[in-house]
């Protein structure tokens, strides 16, 4: 791992690594991070949109994949939101590995939030924080 090159995430690899400016194919990303305490409830791993396909692993366990086979209409722009079950995120050192396949043009992590997030307590309620076509339209007018 000490010989791996550093890259900014989010960000595409073409402007960051000159030798990959015309590269289409596979690239591996890895990062180690620590958590002070293992969560006892599911958390969300957010990886923004990945151009084009991804296979994501946490501590050697597959946690998500989006590609042409799962999202044929928007695999290159679909935000990656993977649920991490209790026990998969360990207290102390953790290893996140993402295999990215760039099929054409730019490759890498597009703009968007990247991190591990605890859902807020309001997520257990009926209502969402942003309107969707299934949300109660009167929610935004009642007090």
């Amino acid at each position: 791992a000490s010989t791996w090159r550093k890259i900014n995430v989010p960000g595409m690899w073409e402007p960051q690594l000159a030798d990959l400016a015309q590269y289409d194919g596979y690239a591996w990303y890895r990062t180690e991070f620590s958590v002070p305490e293992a969560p006892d409830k599911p958390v969300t791993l957010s990886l923004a949109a990945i151009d084009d396909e991804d296979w994501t692993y946490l501590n050697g366990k597959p946690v998500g994949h989006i590609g042409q086979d799962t999202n044929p209409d928007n695999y290159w722009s679909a935000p990656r939101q993977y649920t991490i079950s209790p026990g998969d995120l360990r207290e102390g050192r953790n290893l996140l590995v993402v295999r990215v396949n760039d099929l054409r043009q730019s490759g890498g992590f597009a703009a968007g939030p990247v991190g591990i997030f605890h859902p807020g307590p309001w997520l257990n309620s009926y209502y969402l924080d942003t309107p969707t076509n299934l949300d109660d339209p009167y929610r935004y007018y009642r007090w």
Side-chain angles (χ1 to χ4, degrees):
S2 63
T3 62
W4 288 41
R5 295 191 277 178
K6 296 197 181 299
I7 191 165
N8 293 322
V9 171
M12 299 301 191
W13 64 61
E14 286 85 354
Q16 296 185 62
L17 304 169
D19 59 324
L20 298 181
Q22 299 301 317
Y23 177 70
D24 292 330
Y26 291 98
W28 289 86
Y29 290 74
R30 75 183 300 278
T31 188
E32 291 184 33
F33 62 95
S34 292
V35 294
E37 184 178 323
D40 59 354
K41 294 183 181 176
V43 294
T44 300
L45 172 64
S46 178
L47 297 178
I50 295 178
D51 194 347
D52 288 305
E53 300 178 305
D54 79 289
W55 293 262
T56 301
Y57 306 87
L58 178 65
N59 297 320
K61 179 180 178 183
V63 294
H65 159 66
I66 291 183
Q68 293 182 63
D69 55 335
T70 63
N71 292 53
D73 295 330
N74 69 340
Y75 58 91
W76 66 92
S77 63
R80 274 48 175 190
Q81 302 282 326
Y82 300 131
T83 300
I84 306 297
S85 301
D88 290 344
L89 190 61
R90 302 186 288 225
E91 182 176 332
R93 181 185 164 274
N94 290 270
L95 177 64
L96 178 66
V97 175
V98 181
R99 178 183 180 204
V100 175
N101 184 21
D102 178 31
L103 300 170
R104 62 191 69 77
Q105 299 175 345
S106 297
F109 287 72
V114 174
I116 295 177
F117 303 94
H118 289 274
W122 56 266
L123 285 178
N124 295 327
S125 70
Y126 172 75
Y127 293 109
L128 306 173
D129 71 333
T130 56
T132 69
N133 60 348
L134 299 177
D135 197 9
D136 179 354
Y138 298 105
R139 170 191 192 268
Y140 302 98
Y141 303 108
R142 282 187 276 159
W143 286 94

